[in-house]
Amino acid sequence: METAICGRLALSPHTVFNSKPAGDKSLLCGGSCINRSVLMTVLASAPGKGGGLLERPVITAPGRESEFDLKKKRKTSPPYRVILHNDNFNKREYVVQVLMKVIPGMTLDNAVNIMQEAHYNGLSVVIICSQADAEEHCMQLRGNGLLSSIEPASGGC
């Protein structure tokens, strides 16, 4: 006894499954077909073993992580603070420009506030993010001549 579960998946107009009897294993046909979709069939050959559902696989490009893996990584990685330290070398305007260039989404007002806090208090938190991003931001700030460091963010964001 065979059980068939069907679904449709659009492909090219030249390749479709042929609706031949279930015992025939040659289901592909070529040429011009009127039906421009593929009939997907799952066969269960033994009685008592139910047919299964065919689900479309999630395909990720090589070197890329799935959306699930990215969400899991974000949840498990502890947050880190990027800290800007005051120095007597760089002008305030330059510090604001570097912050806006290096930190994604940094506005002029936020950059000015961070610069002012670092100037008056000796340091300021620039951004809280994952460790990898914090290290990257810190290196970019240092590469532009600013004093910066990172530390674990206790208590979350």
Side-chain angles (χ1 to χ4, degrees):
M1 177 177 186
E2 295 183 345
T3 307
I5 300 172
C6 303
R8 295 191 180 272
L9 174 67
L11 287 180
S12 74
H14 303 293
T15 308
V16 297
F17 280 112
N18 201 357
S19 57
K20 293 184 179 179
D24 191 358
K25 300 299 179 192
S26 61
L27 295 174
L28 284 176
C29 74
S32 62
C33 297
I34 297 171
N35 187 355
R36 294 177 189 249
S37 64
V38 173
L39 179 65
M40 298 183 313
T41 306
V42 177
L43 299 175
S45 58
K49 292 186 179 179
L53 291 177
L54 238 172
E55 294 183 9
R56 189 177 296 185
V58 177
I59 301 171
T60 57
R64 295 188 73 190
E65 297 174 355
S66 70
E67 184 178 332
F68 175 77
D69 291 338
L70 290 174
K71 285 181 181 178
K72 185 177 177 183
K73 183 184 272 187
R74 278 188 223 127
K75 286 182 182 179
T76 58
S77 64
Y80 275 73
R81 290 186 185 106
V82 178
I83 299 173
L84 176 69
H85 300 270
N86 186 35
D87 62 32
N88 295 323
F89 312 110
N90 296 301
K91 294 192 175 209
R92 295 179 188 187
E93 295 81 12
Y94 176 72
V95 173
V96 170
Q97 286 177 345
V98 170
L99 286 171
M100 289 174 45
K101 179 175 79 170
V102 168
I103 307 299
M106 179 66 68
T107 63
L108 177 63
D109 290 338
N110 285 345
V112 168
N113 289 338
I114 290 168
M115 177 272 302
Q116 290 284 13
E117 185 178 346
H119 181 71
Y120 291 116
N121 299 332
L123 57 90
S124 177
V125 175
V126 176
I127 190 171
I128 298 175
C129 53
S130 68
Q131 183 178 7
D133 290 340
E135 289 172 353
E136 179 66 26
H137 295 318
C138 184
M139 294 307 295
Q140 288 177 345
L141 291 172
R142 289 179 182 176
N144 284 286
L146 303 183
L147 298 177
S148 64
S149 62
I150 66 169
E151 68 179 21
S154 59
C157 300

